[in-house]
Amino acid sequence: MILKIFMAFFRIGLIGYGGGPASMPLVKKEFVDNLQIMTDDDLIELTALCNMLPGPMITKVAAVIGYNNGKWLGVFMAVLGLLLPSTVLLIVLMMFFYEATKSSTTIKSMINAVMPVVTVMMGQLVWGFIIKAKKSFNDFLLIILIIFYWVLINILNINVVFVILGTLAFAFLQPVKESEVK
Amino acid sequence: MELFNLFIAFLIPGIIGYGGGPGSITIIAEQVEKYNFMDSNSFNELIGICNALPGPIATKLAGAVGYEVYGITGLLVSILSIMLPSILAILLLLKILTKNKDNPKVKRLSKYLMPIIIVLFIKILIKFFWQSFPIELGQPFSFKEIIHPTLLLIFAIISFIKLKLHPLIVICTAMAYGFLITLI
């Protein structure tokens, strides 16, 4: 299993253009759909917690998936898999192609071409989450919540960390309903 | 001494580097200046190189600075240092949650957090959509700058939804396309 996780993160590291969040659709595909070692709920929780803490998001995701499936060796292998492609490429570029890379329009054009693909992947992920959320909330409440958080984060510019902390506090302070105790 | 400096310098962006890549770049720039690792011109060149590579930008940038200062050992020390605080923090946090996973209040967390994640991801989705078109608002642009991203968007939609291809194949094809259009 650790080897499978290593390979999955290797693939994610190889094609992870566009920063941490751009890799999340890949994480869902590899671990929720293919390996099935986590659920959509786990992924949502993990995304929120990773957003709350500093540092690059995808390395935290790798550490958690690694730890849950193989303790510290798992952490090491998952992070190694993730970083290996970009680090090796980085060393090669810095050693041999420093001048060529600096101003290459070819590389720029290749990366630009990846963005539309990443956009569609992100769209699929968001759509999947919305479908899932519709099972937990009724449509009206969901729209209200999305507008509410949109205003908080994008219009009032409240730091996401505080929004997540506030929501966590709310979730803990609300009394437990009988239907939630199974 | 330089290795130790690298380690200490990159602990800071790992601890206060909120808001993903761009936020961390600023902090890394400050650290590079403070510890005199390199001048700002060379640093900006490194940002350009790191942008050409896959993976998280903060980690790559730390690695690149580390490499310039102290070779491959410097690279490894810097990467380790920038990742360590957040990895330890998230593992600790999740350990506490897992211990209480039967608590109904912990069980409902993902439901409560779902709308926030949807909002965050929609925001990123919109950002990615605009980034797909390499043009600036209000600036004149050529037909080429619109048609290639549009074709790629359609290509990606068909590949993922109709053909259900693996992302690796789709991304490599897109990169090949990006390479070919520079030859024309």
Side-chain angles (χ1 to χ4, degrees):
Chain A
M1 182 47 84
I2 290 181
L3 201 66
K4 278 184 185 159
I5 293 173
F6 172 83
M7 284 313 295
F9 274 113
F10 188 86
R11 284 192 290 269
I12 293 171
L14 195 61
I15 54 178
Y17 280 100
S23 303
M24 290 316 279
L26 294 168
V27 171
K28 177 175 154 60
K29 186 149 182 75
E30 295 282 358
F31 299 104
V32 180
D33 301 342
N34 291 353
L35 291 178
Q36 298 182 344
I37 51 175
M38 65 195 299
T39 62
D40 274 328
D41 280 331
D42 295 336
L43 191 68
I44 287 169
E45 220 175 276
L46 186 58
T47 313
L49 294 175
C50 287
N51 259 299
M52 232 172 70
L53 295 169
M57 173 153 164
I58 187 72
T59 43
K60 281 177 281 184
V61 172
V64 169
I65 294 177
Y67 189 83
N68 287 344
N69 294 282
K71 299 288 164 210
W72 290 103
L73 179 68
V75 176
F76 178 76
M77 292 300 279
V79 174
L80 183 71
L82 179 71
L83 295 181
L84 207 55
S86 56
T87 311
V88 170
L89 281 171
L90 181 67
I91 294 173
V92 171
L93 282 185
M94 305 251 317
M95 275 179 154
F96 306 110
F97 303 106
Y98 194 95
E99 289 305 315
T101 316
K102 236 167 43 186
S103 53
S104 168
T105 50
T106 312
I107 289 181
K108 224 174 156 198
S109 168
M110 285 166 76
I111 294 167
N112 282 342
V114 174
M115 283 320 287
V117 179
V118 176
T119 306
V120 174
M121 283 163 61
M122 206 67 211
Q124 271 190 306
L125 182 70
V126 171
W127 185 243
F129 279 174
I130 290 175
I131 298 288
K132 196 170 163 39
K134 279 170 74 168
K135 287 180 189 146
S136 304
F137 303 95
N138 67 50
D139 289 1
F140 180 71
L141 181 62
L142 183 63
I143 293 170
I144 294 291
L145 281 173
I146 288 180
I147 294 174
F148 171 70
Y149 283 120
W150 187 271
V151 170
L152 282 187
I153 295 170
N154 298 328
I155 297 174
L156 300 176
N157 278 321
I158 296 175
N159 194 318
V160 180
V161 179
F162 298 123
V163 177
I164 294 176
L165 274 177
T167 307
L168 286 179
F170 180 71
F172 273 107
L173 291 176
Q174 262 210 336
V176 176
K177 285 184 221 127
E178 255 177 63
S179 61
E180 287 179 291
V181 186
K182 277 164 208 155
Chain B
M1 193 60 209
E2 266 174 330
L3 276 180
F4 182 73
N5 274 347
L6 281 172
F7 186 78
I8 298 298
F10 286 116
L11 276 179
I12 306 296
I15 295 170
I16 56 171
Y18 275 101
S24 307
I25 293 177
T26 331
I27 303 167
I28 293 174
E30 281 168 12
Q31 294 296 96
V32 166
E33 204 186 305
K34 189 177 154 198
Y35 286 90
N36 242 326
F37 289 141
M38 58 182 59
D39 62 68
S40 65
N41 264 342
S42 322
F43 182 71
N44 287 336
E45 281 177 18
L46 284 189
I47 295 180
I49 291 183
C50 288
N51 271 325
L53 294 167
I57 180 89
T59 329
K60 282 179 290 181
L61 204 49
V65 173
Y67 182 84
E68 287 286 279
V69 175
Y70 212 87
I72 293 185
T73 323
L75 176 138
L76 294 177
V77 166
S78 307
I79 290 183
L80 183 72
S81 156
I82 201 166
M83 288 187 327
L84 209 54
S86 58
I87 287 184
L88 292 180
I90 188 91
L91 288 179
L92 187 72
L93 192 62
L94 272 152
K95 219 165 191 176
I96 297 168
L97 284 180
T98 327
K99 246 184 200 154
N100 302 298
K101 66 166 182 259
D102 294 324
N103 182 331
K105 290 183 177 182
V106 171
K107 271 187 182 163
R108 69 183 178 202
L109 281 186
S110 74
K111 182 186 164 185
Y112 278 68
L113 293 170
M114 213 182 304
I116 305 183
I117 301 304
I118 291 176
V119 167
L120 285 179
F121 280 1
I122 290 177
K123 191 180 166 189
I124 293 163
L125 173 66
I126 295 171
K127 194 180 104 189
F128 283 171
F129 181 78
W130 287 119
Q131 277 180 4
S132 297
F133 297 90
I135 52 175
E136 278 170 50
L137 283 179
Q139 299 287 322
F141 52 85
S142 67
F143 177 66
K144 237 171 55 184
E145 286 169 322
I146 299 291
I147 193 72
H148 288 313
T150 311
L151 283 175
L152 282 164
L153 277 172
I154 296 168
F155 160 73
I157 290 170
I158 295 172
S159 309
F160 284 127
I161 295 169
K162 283 269 169 240
L163 305 174
K164 305 210 184 298
L165 294 177
H166 192 277
L168 195 64
I169 301 168
V170 184
I171 288 180
C172 289
T173 314
M175 288 182 97
Y177 181 87
F179 175 72
L180 287 175
I181 55 177
T182 56
L183 301 178
I184 304 166

